[in-house]
Amino acid sequence: MKTLPTRVLALAAASMLALTACGSNESTAKSEAETLVSSDAAAHADHANHPADGGPAPDGIAEASDPTYPVGTEVVLTADHMSSMDGAAATIVGAYQTYTYSVNYTPTDGSDPVTDHKWVVQEELADAGSERLADGTPVTIEAEHMTGMKGAEGTVESSTDETVYMVDFTAGSMTMKNHKWVTESEIEGVK
């Protein structure tokens, strides 16, 4: 995944707007800044190097005892981790109780740093122990959700203890099996 940190994009967009505000071409600069921000967001959101089959849940993860959406439940996703995900129909294939983290990390393949990657679970972080990690905690990621993720160094951006789910769904033309992860607040029941 090739993406620039959000802060760098915001600074670049603000700088472009500020520099051109004195000139007569403000709308062109604004358009260029919006294109830069949206194309970078799209590169992250598309998960271009995401495997179609996420594989099994990590060893040691606890199944949720009474999930809102049990295995086999048809749901609608409200997450926007990748294009076409928000509003996609999905089937729950696993429900787990653990700590779930959004992480910032530097891929091992030399691609640009990734910010706010949703999600990795406690069991996918090296030597994470059993206690919830604080925001800003340095971590080594053992998940293989994306190219360059396994072994990457990063930090915890945020966390949740919501039930976390593995799902099967189709986004655009890509069918995802065992997609890791969506949290309970990113799912709606089928009406």
Side-chain angles (χ1 to χ4, degrees):
M1 169 176 353
K2 296 186 179 184
T3 180
L4 296 173
T6 304
R7 292 180 190 115
V8 171
L9 287 172
L11 181 61
S15 296
M16 288 177 69
L17 289 173
L19 288 173
T20 60
C22 296
S24 61
N25 211 357
E26 183 176 344
S27 63
T28 300
K30 183 177 179 183
S31 175
E32 289 173 2
E34 288 170 351
T35 300
L36 174 66
V37 171
S38 65
S39 66
D40 181 61
H44 178 71
D46 281 341
H47 281 57
N49 56 4
H50 196 295
D53 187 335
D59 291 338
I61 194 167
E63 290 187 13
S65 59
D66 188 24
T68 302
Y69 306 106
V71 171
T73 303
E74 299 294 320
V75 297
V76 175
L77 303 178
T78 61
D80 61 356
H81 306 169
M82 57 196 313
S83 64
S84 302
M85 185 180 214
D86 189 6
T91 304
I92 302 295
V93 294
Y96 304 93
Q97 194 58 55
T98 187
Y99 297 115
T100 307
Y101 300 93
S102 171
V103 293
N104 303 322
Y105 69 96
T106 302
T108 60
D109 65 358
S111 56
D112 293 329
V114 176
T115 57
D116 201 20
H117 174 84
K118 293 185 173 98
W119 299 97
V120 296
V121 295
Q122 186 96 1
E123 295 76 12
E124 295 174 318
L125 299 174
D127 303 318
S130 60
E131 298 297 316
R132 186 175 187 166
L133 302 176
D135 294 358
T137 300
V139 294
T140 301
I141 301 167
E142 292 299 320
E144 297 184 79
H145 303 173
M146 312 288 292
T147 302
M149 185 178 242
K150 185 171 178 65
E153 300 295 323
T155 58
V156 171
E157 175 71 18
S158 63
S159 64
T160 181
D161 62 356
E162 297 175 60
T163 301
V164 65
Y165 296 88
M166 211 165 40
V167 295
D168 290 347
F169 73 101
T170 300
S173 62
M174 180 185 275
T175 298
M176 307 292 293
K177 298 281 185 193
N178 297 328
H179 176 78
K180 299 180 187 79
W181 303 97
V182 290
T183 60
E184 189 156 309
S185 60
E186 296 174 320
I187 297 173
E188 292 179 350
V190 175
K191 296 175 175 133

